[in-house]
Amino acid sequence: MLYELAQRGNFFITWAVLTFLGFTMTIVMSGTLFAVDYWRPTFARWQHKSNPAFPKPAMVRREVLQMLKGIYTATLCPALALHLVDYGYSHAYGGLGGHSVGYLVFSFFVVWIGSDFYEFAYHRLGHATSFWWKQHKAHHVFANPSPFSVIADDHVDQLIRSAPLLFLPMLMPINMDLLFLTYGAFFYGYGVYLHWGFELSWLDAHQPFINTSFQHYVHHARSTLKKPMHTGFFFKAWDQLAGSEYKAGPSDCLCAKCCRNRGERTREAFEKLEKPNYSVLLSPSYWWHGEKRPGTEPTPAE
């Protein structure tokens, strides 16, 4: 579909269509989890939240606005890759393109594992040097992120993160629908989980293989310049090899499971907790003016 689109239109039309598709996917995936677990939080669900506090509406607004920058920046690379086919610089194709289904499966795993290492390496660089930290630190404004913060990055940071969407089709034949869906649904979908703020009971934060939402919460809360911590995306192996894991025992671990085991997630604590009134996010004027406009200050929900 995407390959055929590029053959029939110009670069800007392709970019606009990809941006619309990206916007739709991000709003649906991030918005659904936000509506379920942030809008009207319950005690049972809150017991699984890594950070017991909820972000202010102003921070959620900032996440969404910054996410929009990430969307139209991230779609530049696949749009360019599609249009470079005509100049012989891209091996992007549509359908099977003369390749087998087995090749599609193989290319998916190349994209998945290769992109995961690329994300770890670039992300770690963003915490290791002052120059790259300047590009990345806008994402770390959100110390207690919501599902909207997955690609809430500045332009340079998001452009480099999305660069595999351009250079992978230049290095190997790749089905562009597969590539875009891998990044737009598979990677972004897992990113929504990582930024969700809630932990899954069946995927323990202490298992040694896969990064969970807790690892990424710790990354946002503890990792800064010269202190990379859990900069990997899917696999824990990269941080294990680099020695950049969060390590804590049952007595001081911050994960929701350990907090529950220590008796810290009580009904009394939940009742005392401020639950922001996110209904202000339904006001168009709030998106335009923020909290500068009188009468839009968030108040605790009943």
Side-chain angles (χ1 to χ4, degrees):
M1 180 185 72
L2 297 180
Y3 183 79
E4 286 75 14
L5 170 69
Q7 305 309 301
R8 297 171 184 168
N10 62 37
F11 171 81
F12 294 102
I13 292 176
T14 304
W15 181 28
V17 171
L18 292 180
T19 299
F20 174 77
L21 291 174
F23 173 78
T24 301
M25 283 192 291
T26 56
I27 289 297
V28 169
M29 287 190 281
S30 295
T32 299
L33 281 185
F34 185 85
V36 170
D37 283 322
Y38 284 76
W39 203 267
R40 295 188 181 277
T42 65
F43 171 63
R45 295 295 305 125
W46 171 78
Q47 288 185 302
H48 295 267
K49 192 174 187 301
S50 298
N51 186 330
F54 289 89
K56 302 288 187 182
M59 292 305 292
V60 177
R61 172 182 178 271
R62 186 170 178 176
E63 282 179 328
V64 174
L65 293 178
Q66 200 154 296
M67 177 191 78
L68 297 178
K69 293 166 62 177
I71 293 171
Y72 68 72
T73 302
T75 51
L76 278 168
C77 286
L80 185 58
L82 284 165
H83 284 275
L84 284 177
V85 173
D86 292 336
Y87 299 94
Y89 293 111
S90 175
H91 302 290
Y93 67 88
L96 288 178
H99 299 278
S100 65
V101 174
Y103 181 78
L104 284 177
V105 174
F106 167 75
S107 57
F108 166 76
F109 280 98
V110 169
V111 171
W112 180 19
I113 298 172
S115 296
D116 197 62
F117 178 74
Y118 174 88
E119 166 64 17
F120 158 75
Y122 172 68
H123 196 177
R124 184 178 177 85
L125 185 65
H127 288 269
T129 68
S130 297
F131 174 81
W132 290 109
W133 172 248
K134 288 179 182 178
Q135 318 308 319
H136 181 55
K137 66 180 181 180
H139 188 66
H140 277 264
V141 169
F142 314 112
N144 183 16
S146 84
F148 288 113
S149 66
V150 183
I151 55 171
D153 303 311
D154 255 345
H155 295 108
V156 173
D157 200 29
Q158 185 54 223
L159 186 65
I160 296 175
R161 287 175 180 276
S162 61
L165 289 161
L166 172 61
F167 67 68
L168 279 172
M170 299 176 74
L171 295 174
M172 61 181 288
I174 193 84
N175 179 288
M176 288 305 291
D177 291 325
L178 172 72
L179 183 61
F180 191 76
L181 286 174
T182 299
Y183 268 76
F186 185 60
F187 273 88
Y188 188 85
Y190 201 75
V192 171
Y193 160 66
L194 291 182
H195 293 81
W196 180 26
F198 288 78
E199 300 169 27
L200 296 170
S201 298
W202 57 268
L203 186 59
D204 195 289
H206 299 284
Q207 48 76 30
F209 305 110
I210 302 295
N211 281 311
T212 71
S213 58
F214 171 68
Q215 272 78 47
H216 207 71
Y217 159 66
V218 168
H219 170 75
H220 273 262
R222 298 288 184 88
S223 190
T224 185
L225 176 61
K226 305 295 184 181
K227 190 179 179 181
M229 182 181 293
H230 286 292
T231 59
F233 198 71
F234 277 99
F235 304 116
K236 286 184 175 181
W238 315 128
D239 283 292
Q240 290 168 349
L241 291 171
S244 49
E245 291 182 286
Y246 167 79
K247 296 180 180 179
S251 63
D252 57 352
C253 178
L254 299 175
C255 81
K257 179 180 178 180
C258 289
C259 289
R260 291 195 305 273
N261 290 342
R262 293 195 299 266
E264 297 172 6
R265 297 301 177 91
T266 63
R267 170 69 72 172
E268 181 182 10
F270 177 72
E271 296 300 333
K272 291 180 178 179
L273 184 72
E274 178 183 354
K275 290 87 169 175
N277 181 3
Y278 292 118
S279 63
V280 70
L281 297 173
L282 298 177
S283 169
S285 62
Y286 182 73
W287 288 99
W288 184 258
H289 299 285
E291 294 183 1
K292 295 179 182 180
R293 184 173 183 270
T296 61
E297 291 82 2
T299 56
E302 294 293 330

